[in-house]
Amino acid sequence: MTANRALFPPRPPPCWRCRIALLLIGAAVVASFAYLGIDYRALGSSESLRLMGKFIAEFFPPDLSPDFLSKVGHGALQTLAVSALGTVLAAVAGAVLALPASGRAGGALRHGSRFVLNFLRSVPELVWAALMVLAAGIGPFAGALALALHTTGVLGRLFAEALENAPREPEHALALSGANPVTAFSYASLPIVLPQWVAYALYRWEMNIRMAAVLGFVGGGGLGQLLYFHLSIFQQQQAMTVLIAMFVLVTFVDFASARLRRGLGPAYA
């Protein structure tokens, strides 16, 4: 009997909470489809398929004229600049807010800075963009501010968690040796968390490239604004060129950022 138990250990008891959670999720999915009342027969009818095929065909061939490609290239550079500026501003502001959010300035400032970070990232980028367009006018500057505000909340929280997980002993040792708090932090804790901070910032830059291309729909400039303009006047071939430019830009930035983050990997592995 003992040998059999060693070879065939008893089965663990069923996880009733897991089963109930799965049943509730399944019920919520079914209820969502029933509530939306989608007519799947009409969606899959021959007439609907014909209209969808006709709509897709209108996007081809893309407009590759030199004048329009120049306009798309300018929009791509503007999108890249908006995402880069928004990410840099967010990284600086996030690092500043991460210091009190990690508990280095007392409990009151910790809770206050975390509240600010939670508020900034709880508002979507599109909402920030709509507000910034009203405040700063239509254009890429509004898009950069919108990305900076939302990304500050995300990076600030990630930076603060990295600081909380970093060992404090080297910083305490420098402080006991007579170094002031800024010097102790700069030479002890900052080198530990900096590679991780840079990796987080690069990853958010990847995401901001995609979002910067969308912010143009609410007046944030760049490829998104160009796409919205041509779709609104039913110029699908020009819109297809903009979509291809978005794909190329995002793919390039994803590849470059991934290579940089892999290079930083050994520094904080």
Side-chain angles (χ1 to χ4, degrees), residues 79-119:
T79 297
L80 187 65
V82 166
S83 64
L85 179 59
T87 305
V88 169
L89 292 176
V92 174
V96 172
L97 289 173
L99 295 175
S102 63
R104 293 171 176 268
L109 285 178
R110 180 178 185 273
H111 293 298
S113 56
R114 283 182 175 267
F115 174 80
V116 173
L117 294 175
N118 290 336
F119 173 75

Side-chain angles (χ1 to χ4, degrees), residues 152-185:
T152 295
V154 177
L155 289 181
R157 177 63 181 271
L158 294 174
F159 290 175
E161 291 180 354
L163 278 175
E164 289 179 344
N165 295 328
R168 298 288 298 272
E169 287 79 8
E171 186 175 346
H172 289 159
L174 286 179
L176 292 175
S177 300
N180 60 61
V182 176
T183 303
F185 173 79

